[in-house]
Amino acid sequence: MTHSKKAYRFRQNCVAAAVSMLLAPSAFALQNLSDERLAETTGEGVALLPENFKIVFQGPNDISAASSYGTLTDKASLLEASKKDTGFIRIIPAGGNYEKLYEQNRQKIYNDKFNADYTYKLQDNYNQHYLPKYNQVYSSVKNNADYRAQIRALYAKDFDADYAKYSADNAAQISTQTTQLRPTAPWTSRYTELYNQRRADKQILGSWYSETEAESRAWAENAVAGEIKNYIISTAVNASIDQRTNNRLEESAALKAKNEADAYYETYRQQLYNGARDSAQSLVSSTNLAESLKASRTKADVFIYGLALSKSNGDLSQRYSNQGLNWGSAENPWLFRSGTAKDIQQFKKENKADIAYLALEAPLAREGGNSASDRIKLGFWTDIFSRSLDSSSQVDPVTGAPVSGLDKDYRLRAQFVANGLSIDGSQVRLFQTQPSSTAQHNQTLGMASVLRLNTHNDPSKLSMNDADLNARGIRLSTAARTDNDDGAAPTPAMDGSFAPIFNESDGLYLYSANINLVLGNIYQPFVLGSEGGNIILELTRIPNVPEIYTKIYSYYADTDGANPLVKTREGASAVQPQLKDSDGIYRVLEGSTCNVSACGSNTSEIKAGSATLKYQGSNATHSSIAIGSVTRDPLSNTLKANRAADSTGVVFRGPAAGSAPVNLGSAAIDGVLIQHFKIKTTGL
């Protein structure tokens, strides 16, 4: 077993009762068990250990003949045998709200016609009627000389006050400008004119008016300085008056032009609108909406064919290797068990209780990876159809396939193959949520899950030149090997034809893909519920409750280190931060990121013979997605995509033989925390 067998109280629980019937070795069939006896099994479970395990969905065979694969191992024979991979899982949506679809279709016909006749012509109508009228009125007002003079006269009444204010506010500037203008030609000439006039006046006045030549020059200098100052101030004040006049004139012109153009244009706009409305209503009335709705392709039909699990190999063109795999070990098996999480809080501070859960857990992920464990090859191919709304839902009772309604022109055919896949460390826990003020969250079915899909334990040195890239990657392709290999029928479920053979190289390749997703946890449950007649899938919001969010949030030294609220406890290491709440208590931020090398703090050790094996945890709260050449910093547990020229991860290959691949390099999305999301169906 991989978990402690310590007993916890778990009374009057139907799930625990079912588990106890399988686990109680000393009880006879249907023997009555006391609550005390029942509690002894709590925390244990059923261990599952698939050995030499392989599976592939092939078509029905009424004569119970052997699988087409038999004992085949060579590539060509396996490819030929894959033509029988026509066993399928069919996903058929229940349909929509037909009244709503009818109204949507009616509205679409109306909107398309209305937009064509009004919305898309509105700009032309605007340019044709509004703009010419606006420009004509604006120009007539702006260029009216009498109106300009009238406005200027209003502002000129305050000339003396403006003159005095400008003189006081700009004394230093006026002095500088006066000094600069004085040597220029107009003012030197004016100085000469004033001086000569002064000297001539002295001669006329005679000897009783005594003034030296120097005094005459000083008088002329002061006089010209005064005139320069007056010129500077008057020019500035007049410019201000002119500017205010222009502004007032433009405002008046714009307002008058808008008012007259609006009134003029509205008549033509209303005519355009009325015409478009009438033509759209007429089209809707003349259209057979029922027939139009039937022709719309609002139904989907999905076939998942040839779902196959087998032992991984180095070929991404094969969906199935025909080799069995050992999934787990005696010390580390699959586990279906019940358990109890202690002192859990959800939604609000007042909630605090033990939560019983039922869990399905894949084998634990080994620290450093386990090169000896079998890796998985997962493959399937699919046909996805868009069907008309009026297509028949009739099903062939023998094959389970539709009898009609599938069209190759509305089909997506694709193949998925994954090599080197490991889901070790994945787990799903189901439980009843705690009380909540939100009805859809209140004591309903909750889930906490860690989904780990890893294809490479250490991709840090991955190179485009590696020879074994196809042994650890995911491929999605669509092209058939030839037209004949694609089949004539829309899908094999309808006529029992062969499965297609896909092109050997075409497709999108994701080398060393490591996807570790945390979808809900015991403190932030993923809820499966209903609202009205619709289904809700919701990852509940992280509440503003320190006792809860400190269990989820992670500490990042590069950003949180400067936050005065985020501290480290005295004597604790730098990666054990604490958040001080309003009550003065420092709380440790316990969240962490799940990646291929680490997934939480609840690590474990298991004895395997004389060896002690160390396994990763499962209580991380953040997700990561890494594709290709990615390096991990063990101190901060962060990922970084490599940037070397030969780094690889996301690669496109064409169907033509020998075509050069397009290498887009590696990618890392690290530390993903989903605060809240909600998916809700509509129309059910």
Side-chain angles (χ1 to χ4, degrees):
M1 303 298 292
T2 61
H3 289 266
S4 168
K5 297 176 181 166
K6 180 180 178 181
Y8 301 106
R9 292 290 178 187
F10 195 36
R11 302 168 185 260
Q12 299 177 354
N13 187 295
C14 61
V15 176
V19 173
S20 70
M21 292 177 67
L22 298 172
L23 299 179
S26 60
F28 296 103
L30 303 180
Q31 176 183 342
N32 183 38
L33 297 175
S34 66
D35 285 341
E36 287 75 18
R37 181 67 177 279
L38 179 61
E40 292 176 1
T41 65
T42 304
E44 299 190 9
V46 178
L48 304 173
L49 183 56
E51 293 182 331
N52 195 26
F53 174 80
K54 57 182 178 179
I55 183 173
V56 59
F57 281 24
Q58 294 204 305
N61 195 326
D62 293 336
I63 60 175
S64 301
S67 164
S68 66
Y69 287 96
T71 59
L72 300 173
T73 56
D74 65 285
K75 180 174 180 176
S77 299
L78 290 175
L79 195 61
E80 187 67 22
S82 70
K83 290 182 177 181
K84 298 292 183 68
D85 294 351
T86 55
F88 62 87
I89 301 171
R90 187 180 177 203
I91 303 173
I92 313 172
N97 183 321
Y98 292 102
E99 291 183 0
K100 184 176 181 179
L101 289 173
Y102 185 92
E103 175 58 26
Q104 288 176 342
N105 195 47
R106 187 201 70 80
Q107 193 64 45
K108 182 179 185 304
I109 293 173
Y110 180 93
N111 288 345
D112 288 348
K113 180 61 175 173
F114 181 83
N115 287 336
D117 291 348
Y118 177 74
T119 306
Y120 303 142
K121 292 182 179 180
L122 196 59
Q123 185 62 47
D124 291 339
N125 190 67
Y126 179 89
N127 294 337
Q128 181 180 355
H129 298 289
Y130 183 92
L131 289 181
K133 185 65 174 179
Y134 181 95
N135 292 334
Q136 181 263 322
V137 175
Y138 182 91
S139 178
S140 66
V141 175
K142 181 75 182 298
N143 297 323
N144 189 318
D146 292 338
Y147 186 45
R148 174 183 291 275
Q150 183 180 358
I151 295 175
R152 196 183 193 289
L154 292 175
Y155 290 119
K157 288 180 179 179
D158 298 325
F159 183 91
D160 291 342
D162 292 342
Y163 185 101
K165 185 175 186 308
Y166 186 87
S167 178
D169 292 344
N170 301 276
Q173 179 182 345
I174 293 170
S175 176
T176 301
Q177 291 177 328
T178 300
T179 302
Q180 293 172 344
L181 287 175
R182 174 63 185 84
T184 60
W187 299 109
T188 55
S189 298
R190 179 59 176 162
Y191 168 80
T192 302
E193 179 183 350
L194 290 172
Y195 172 76
N196 291 336
Q197 182 63 46
R198 184 74 172 180
R199 297 306 294 174
D201 291 344
K202 180 182 181 305
Q203 291 177 354
I204 294 173
L205 292 174
S207 58
W208 64 269
Y209 181 79
S210 62
E211 181 179 87
T212 66
E213 183 178 347
E215 289 174 336
S216 296
R217 290 186 180 279
W219 176 88
E221 194 66 49
N222 289 334
V224 78
E227 290 187 9
I228 293 175
K229 180 179 178 181
N230 180 66
Y231 167 78
I232 293 171
I233 299 173
S234 297
T235 300
V237 171
N238 281 318
S240 174
I241 292 173
D242 289 340
Q243 182 62 49
R244 283 179 284 172
T245 299
N246 283 335
N247 292 345
R248 175 71 176 274
L249 195 63
E250 289 174 356
E251 291 174 2
S252 299
L255 180 61
K256 185 175 179 61
K258 180 181 183 305
N259 290 336
E260 293 193 20
D262 283 345
Y264 182 78
Y265 168 70
E266 180 60 23
T267 301
Y268 295 96
R269 188 203 65 78
Q270 192 64 45
Q271 291 175 356
L272 186 68
Y273 176 87
N274 292 340
R277 180 197 58 198
D278 294 344
S279 62
Q281 289 176 344
S282 176
L283 180 61
V284 170
S285 300
S286 64
T287 301
N288 188 330
L289 289 173
E291 290 300 319
S292 175
L293 183 61
K294 289 178 182 179
S296 64
R297 292 190 168 270
T298 54
K299 278 186 177 179
D301 211 340
V302 179
F303 296 83
I304 300 175
Y305 286 101
L307 183 63
L309 284 174
S310 55
K311 187 175 180 177
S312 180
N313 60 12
D315 196 338
L316 276 176
S317 64
Q318 294 176 348
R319 294 188 296 271
Y320 183 64
S321 70
N322 203 25
Q323 301 176 49
L325 63 95
N326 295 325
W327 214 343
S329 64
E331 298 82 10
N332 186 25
W334 281 80
L335 194 63
F336 179 65
R337 72 182 185 94
S338 60
T340 302
K342 293 289 188 179
D343 298 330
I344 302 301
Q345 291 174 284
Q346 297 171 351
F347 309 129
K348 53 187 177 181
K349 185 176 182 179
E350 293 73 24
N351 286 338
K352 190 169 187 180
D354 296 349
I355 290 184
Y357 60 82
L358 189 66
L360 176 62
E361 301 176 0
L364 298 177
R366 179 92 172 268
E367 287 190 0
N370 186 358
S371 58
S373 65
D374 289 345
R375 290 279 180 157
I376 305 165
K377 174 186 278 289
L378 169 64
F380 63 86
W381 66 278
T382 182
D383 279 340
I384 303 174
F385 292 90
S386 172
R387 301 180 59 175
S388 61
L389 189 65
D390 66 336
S391 59
S392 172
S393 60
Q394 185 178 354
V395 173
D396 187 321
V398 176
T399 65
V403 297
S404 64
L406 304 184
D407 190 337
K408 286 179 65 177
D409 292 338
Y410 296 93
R411 179 190 73 188
L412 170 64
R413 172 166 285 180
Q415 175 183 242
F416 176 92
V417 182
N419 258 342
L421 188 64
S422 169
I423 64 171
D424 288 356
S426 299
Q427 64 172 235
V428 177
R429 296 183 178 186
L430 301 177
F431 50 87
Q432 184 182 41
T433 61
Q434 293 178 340
S436 171
S437 57
T438 302
Q440 290 77 25
H441 304 165
N442 183 44
Q443 296 182 315
T444 188
L445 178 62
M447 181 179 75
S449 61
V450 180
L451 306 179
R452 308 189 66 183
L453 305 173
N454 295 304
T455 62
H456 198 177
N457 292 329
D458 182 13
S460 59
K461 297 181 180 179
L462 187 72
S463 166
M464 188 64 180
N465 302 318
D466 290 351
D468 60 347
L469 287 176
N470 286 342
R472 49 196 184 212
I474 297 173
R475 177 189 174 199
L476 181 65
S477 61
T478 58
R481 186 174 62 180
T482 66
D483 289 343
N484 290 334
D485 291 319
D486 204 22
T491 194
M494 296 186 70
D495 67 344
S497 57
F498 287 138
I501 296 179
F502 288 82
N503 184 277
E504 191 172 41
S505 63
D506 162 76
L508 167 65
Y509 292 75
L510 304 177
Y511 292 124
S512 291
N514 291 326
I515 303 170
N516 294 269
L517 302 179
V518 179
L519 188 60
N521 61 63
I522 204 75
Y523 302 99
Q524 184 197 14
F526 185 90
V527 170
L528 294 80
S530 63
E531 184 177 310
N534 294 295
I535 300 170
I536 290 177
L537 303 176
E538 181 176 5
L539 182 59
T540 56
R541 192 182 307 275
I542 298 176
N544 188 20
V545 177
E547 290 85 355
I548 298 177
Y549 65 66
T550 51
K551 297 287 195 301
I552 300 172
Y553 291 155
S554 289
Y555 173 81
Y556 297 99
D558 57 341
T559 56
D560 296 331
N563 188 338
L565 293 178
V566 179
K567 306 288 185 183
T568 56
R569 180 178 298 156
E570 203 172 304
S573 68
V575 294
Q576 292 178 312
Q578 301 181 341
L579 182 65
K580 187 174 182 180
D581 192 22
S582 58
D583 56 9
I585 299 175
Y586 284 92
R587 294 183 172 88
V588 176
L589 297 180
E590 300 177 16
S592 60
T593 298
C594 186
N595 54 52
V596 68
S597 300
C599 195
S601 59
N602 59 337
T603 58
S604 58
E605 296 182 351
I606 298 176
K607 287 284 188 181
S610 59
T612 299
L613 304 180
K614 295 184 177 181
Y615 291 90
Q616 298 177 25
S618 58
N619 63 350
T621 57
H622 293 53
S623 305
S624 69
I625 300 174
I627 302 173
S629 313
V630 173
T631 302
R632 172 179 174 264
D633 182 349
L635 295 179
S636 61
N637 192 36
T638 55
L639 304 178
K640 183 178 181 180
N642 294 347
R643 299 186 179 183
D646 61 350
S647 296
T648 189
V650 182
V651 176
F652 286 89
R653 299 181 188 275
S659 59
V662 178
N663 178 24
L664 300 184
S666 55
I669 305 174
D670 195 28
V672 178
L673 175 64
I674 303 175
Q675 294 276 0
H676 175 236
F677 83 84
K678 181 178 182 179
I679 300 174
K680 177 184 174 182
T681 61
T682 59
L684 298 184

